[in-house]
Coordinates of all heavy atoms in Angstrom, one line a residue:
A1312 N 8.2 -130.1 10.9 CA 8.5 -131.4 10.4 C 8.2 -132.5 11.5 O 7.7 -133.6 11.2 CB 9.9 -131.5 9.9
A1313 N 8.6 -132.2 12.7 CA 8.5 -133.1 13.8 C 7.0 -133.4 14.1 O 6.6 -134.5 14.3 CB 9.2 -132.6 15.1
V1314 N 6.2 -132.3 14.2 CA 4.8 -132.5 14.4 C 4.1 -133.2 13.3 O 3.2 -134.0 13.5 CB 4.1 -131.1 14.6 CG1 2.6 -131.2 14.7 CG2 4.6 -130.4 15.9
G1315 N 4.5 -133.0 12.1 CA 3.9 -133.7 10.9 C 4.5 -135.0 10.5 O 4.1 -135.6 9.5
D1316 N 5.6 -135.3 11.3 CA 6.4 -136.6 10.9 C 6.8 -136.5 9.5 O 6.6 -137.5 8.7 CB 5.5 -137.8 11.2 CG 6.3 -139.1 11.2 OD1 7.6 -139.0 11.4 OD2 5.8 -140.2 11.0
G1317 N 7.4 -135.3 9.1 CA 7.7 -135.1 7.7 C 9.2 -134.8 7.5 O 10.0 -134.9 8.5
D1318 N 9.5 -134.3 6.3 CA 10.9 -133.9 6.0 C 11.1 -132.5 6.3 O 10.3 -131.6 5.9 CB 11.1 -134.2 4.5 CG 12.5 -133.9 4.1 OD1 13.4 -134.6 4.5 OD2 12.7 -132.9 3.4
R1319 N 12.3 -132.2 6.9 CA 12.6 -130.8 7.3 C 12.8 -129.9 6.1 O 12.3 -128.7 6.1 CB 13.9 -130.8 8.2 CG 14.3 -129.4 8.6 CD 15.7 -129.3 9.1 NE 16.1 -127.9 9.3 CZ 16.4 -127.1 8.3 NH1 16.4 -127.5 7.1 NH2 16.7 -125.8 8.6
A1320 N 13.4 -130.4 5.1 CA 13.6 -129.5 3.9 C 12.3 -129.2 3.2 O 12.1 -128.0 2.8 CB 14.6 -130.3 2.9
E1321 N 11.4 -130.2 3.2 CA 10.1 -129.9 2.6 C 9.3 -128.8 3.4 O 8.7 -127.9 2.9 CB 9.3 -131.1 2.5 CG 9.5 -132.0 1.3 CD 9.1 -131.4 0.0 OE1 7.9 -131.1 -0.1 OE2 9.9 -131.2 -0.9
A1322 N 9.4 -129.0 4.8 CA 8.7 -128.0 5.6 C 9.3 -126.6 5.4 O 8.6 -125.6 5.4 CB 8.9 -128.4 7.1
A1323 N 10.6 -126.5 5.3 CA 11.3 -125.2 5.1 C 10.8 -124.6 3.7 O 10.5 -123.4 3.7 CB 12.8 -125.4 5.0
K1324 N 10.7 -125.4 2.7 CA 10.2 -124.9 1.4 C 8.8 -124.3 1.5 O 8.5 -123.2 1.0 CB 10.2 -126.0 0.4 CG 9.7 -125.6 -1.0 CD 9.7 -126.8 -1.9 CE 8.4 -127.7 -1.6 NZ 8.3 -128.8 -2.6
W1325 N 7.9 -125.0 2.2 CA 6.5 -124.5 2.3 C 6.4 -123.4 3.3 O 5.5 -122.5 3.1 CB 5.6 -125.7 2.7 CG 5.4 -126.7 1.7 CD1 5.8 -128.1 1.7 CD2 5.0 -126.5 0.3 NE1 5.6 -128.7 0.5 CE2 5.0 -127.8 -0.4 CE3 4.5 -125.4 -0.3 CZ2 4.6 -127.9 -1.7 CZ3 4.0 -125.6 -1.7 CH2 4.1 -126.8 -2.3
L1326 N 7.2 -123.3 4.3 CA 7.2 -122.1 5.2 C 7.5 -120.9 4.4 O 6.9 -119.8 4.6 CB 8.1 -122.3 6.4 CG 7.6 -123.4 7.4 CD1 8.7 -123.6 8.4 CD2 6.4 -122.8 8.1
D1327 N 8.5 -121.0 3.6 CA 8.9 -119.9 2.8 C 7.8 -119.5 1.8 O 7.5 -118.3 1.6 CB 10.2 -120.2 2.0 CG 10.7 -119.1 1.1 OD1 11.1 -118.0 1.7 OD2 10.7 -119.2 -0.1
C1328 N 7.1 -120.5 1.2 CA 6.0 -120.2 0.3 C 4.9 -119.5 1.1 O 4.3 -118.5 0.6 CB 5.5 -121.5 -0.3 SG 3.9 -121.4 -1.1
L1329 N 4.6 -119.9 2.3 CA 3.5 -119.3 3.1 C 3.8 -117.9 3.5 O 2.9 -117.1 3.6 CB 3.2 -120.2 4.3 CG 2.6 -121.6 3.9 CD1 2.6 -122.5 5.1 CD2 1.1 -121.5 3.5
E1330 N 5.1 -117.6 3.7 CA 5.5 -116.2 4.0 C 5.2 -115.4 2.8 O 4.7 -114.2 2.9 CB 6.9 -116.2 4.4 CG 7.4 -114.8 4.8 CD 8.9 -114.6 4.9 OE1 9.6 -115.4 4.3 OE2 9.3 -113.6 5.5
R1331 N 5.6 -115.8 1.6 CA 5.3 -115.0 0.4 C 3.8 -114.9 0.2 O 3.4 -113.9 -0.4 CB 5.9 -115.7 -0.8 CG 7.5 -115.8 -0.8 CD 8.0 -116.1 -2.2 NE 7.5 -117.3 -2.7 CZ 8.0 -118.5 -2.5 NH1 9.1 -118.6 -1.8 NH2 7.5 -119.6 -3.1
R1332 N 3.0 -115.8 0.6 CA 1.5 -115.6 0.5 C 0.9 -114.8 1.6 O -0.3 -114.6 1.7 CB 0.9 -117.0 0.5 CG 1.2 -117.9 -0.7 CD 0.5 -117.5 -1.9 NE 0.6 -118.4 -3.0 CZ -0.3 -119.3 -3.3 NH1 -1.4 -119.3 -2.7 NH2 -0.1 -120.1 -4.3
D1333 N 1.8 -114.2 2.5 CA 1.3 -113.3 3.6 C 0.4 -114.1 4.6 O -0.4 -113.4 5.2 CB 0.6 -112.1 3.0 CG 1.5 -111.1 2.3 OD1 2.6 -111.0 2.8 OD2 1.0 -110.5 1.3
L1334 N 0.6 -115.4 4.7 CA -0.1 -116.1 5.8 C 0.8 -116.2 7.0 O 0.3 -116.4 8.1 CB -0.5 -117.5 5.3 CG -1.6 -117.5 4.2 CD1 -1.7 -118.9 3.5 CD2 -2.9 -117.1 4.8
L1335 N 2.1 -116.2 6.8 CA 3.1 -116.2 7.9 C 4.0 -115.0 7.8 O 4.1 -114.3 6.8 CB 3.9 -117.5 7.8 CG 3.2 -118.9 7.8 CD1 4.3 -120.0 7.7 CD2 2.4 -119.0 9.1
R1336 N 4.6 -114.7 8.9 CA 5.7 -113.6 8.9 C 6.9 -114.2 9.5 O 6.9 -115.1 10.4 CB 5.2 -112.4 9.6 CG 4.8 -112.6 11.1 CD 4.4 -111.3 11.7 NE 3.9 -111.5 13.1 CZ 4.7 -111.7 14.2 NH1 6.0 -111.7 14.0 NH2 4.1 -111.9 15.3
R1337 N 8.1 -113.7 9.1 CA 9.3 -114.2 9.6 C 9.6 -113.5 10.9 O 9.5 -112.3 11.0 CB 10.4 -113.9 8.6 CG 11.7 -114.7 8.9 CD 12.7 -114.5 7.7 NE 12.1 -115.1 6.5 CZ 12.8 -115.8 5.6 NH1 14.1 -116.0 5.8 NH2 12.3 -116.3 4.6
S1338 N 10.0 -114.3 11.9 CA 10.4 -113.7 13.2 C 11.8 -113.1 13.2 O 12.7 -113.5 12.4 CB 10.4 -114.8 14.3 OG 10.9 -114.3 15.5
R1339 N 12.0 -112.0 13.9 CA 13.3 -111.4 14.0 C 14.3 -112.2 14.7 O 15.5 -112.0 14.7 CB 13.2 -110.0 14.6 CG 12.5 -109.0 13.7 CD 12.3 -107.7 14.4 NE 11.5 -107.8 15.6 CZ 11.2 -106.8 16.4 NH1 11.8 -105.6 16.3 NH2 10.4 -106.9 17.4
H1340 N 13.9 -113.1 15.5 CA 14.7 -114.0 16.4 C 14.7 -115.4 15.9 O 13.7 -116.0 15.7 CB 14.3 -113.9 17.8 CG 14.1 -112.5 18.3 ND1 15.2 -111.7 18.6 CD2 13.0 -111.8 18.6 CE1 14.7 -110.5 19.0 NE2 13.4 -110.5 19.0
G1341 N 15.9 -116.0 15.7 CA 16.0 -117.3 15.3 C 15.8 -118.3 16.5 O 15.7 -117.9 17.6
S1342 N 15.8 -119.6 16.2 CA 15.6 -120.6 17.2 C 17.0 -120.8 17.9 O 18.0 -120.3 17.4 CB 15.2 -121.9 16.5 OG 16.3 -122.4 15.8
P1343 N 17.0 -121.5 19.0 CA 18.3 -121.7 19.7 C 19.3 -122.4 18.8 O 20.5 -122.2 19.0 CB 17.9 -122.6 20.9 CG 16.5 -122.3 21.2 CD 15.9 -122.0 19.8
A1344 N 18.8 -123.2 17.8 CA 19.7 -123.9 16.9 C 20.1 -123.0 15.7 O 20.8 -123.4 14.8 CB 19.1 -125.2 16.4
G1345 N 19.6 -121.7 15.7 CA 20.0 -120.8 14.6 C 19.0 -120.9 13.5 O 19.3 -120.3 12.4
E1346 N 17.9 -121.6 13.6 CA 17.0 -121.8 12.4 C 16.1 -120.5 12.3 O 15.8 -119.9 13.4 CB 16.1 -123.0 12.6 CG 16.7 -124.3 12.1 CD 15.7 -125.3 11.9 OE1 14.8 -125.5 12.7 OE2 15.7 -125.9 10.8
T1347 N 15.6 -120.2 11.1 CA 14.7 -119.2 10.9 C 13.3 -119.6 11.6 O 12.9 -120.7 11.4 CB 14.4 -118.9 9.4 OG1 15.7 -118.6 8.8 CG2 13.4 -117.8 9.2
Q1348 N 12.7 -118.7 12.3 CA 11.4 -118.9 12.9 C 10.3 -118.1 12.3 O 10.6 -117.0 11.7 CB 11.5 -118.7 14.4 CG 12.5 -119.6 15.1 CD 12.1 -119.7 16.6 OE1 11.8 -120.8 17.1 NE2 12.3 -118.6 17.3

Side-chain angles (χ1 to χ4, degrees):
V1314 172
D1316 195 21
D1318 179 71
R1319 181 196 169 282
E1321 278 291 302
K1324 178 185 75 173
W1325 292 118
L1326 288 171
D1327 182 63
C1328 167
L1329 292 166
E1330 183 194 18
R1331 293 196 305 273
R1332 293 288 189 98
D1333 289 327
L1334 292 168
L1335 302 179
R1336 59 179 174 82
R1337 194 171 297 221
S1338 173
R1339 289 176 294 174
H1340 308 287
S1342 70
E1346 276 200 311
T1347 301
Q1348 295 202 117

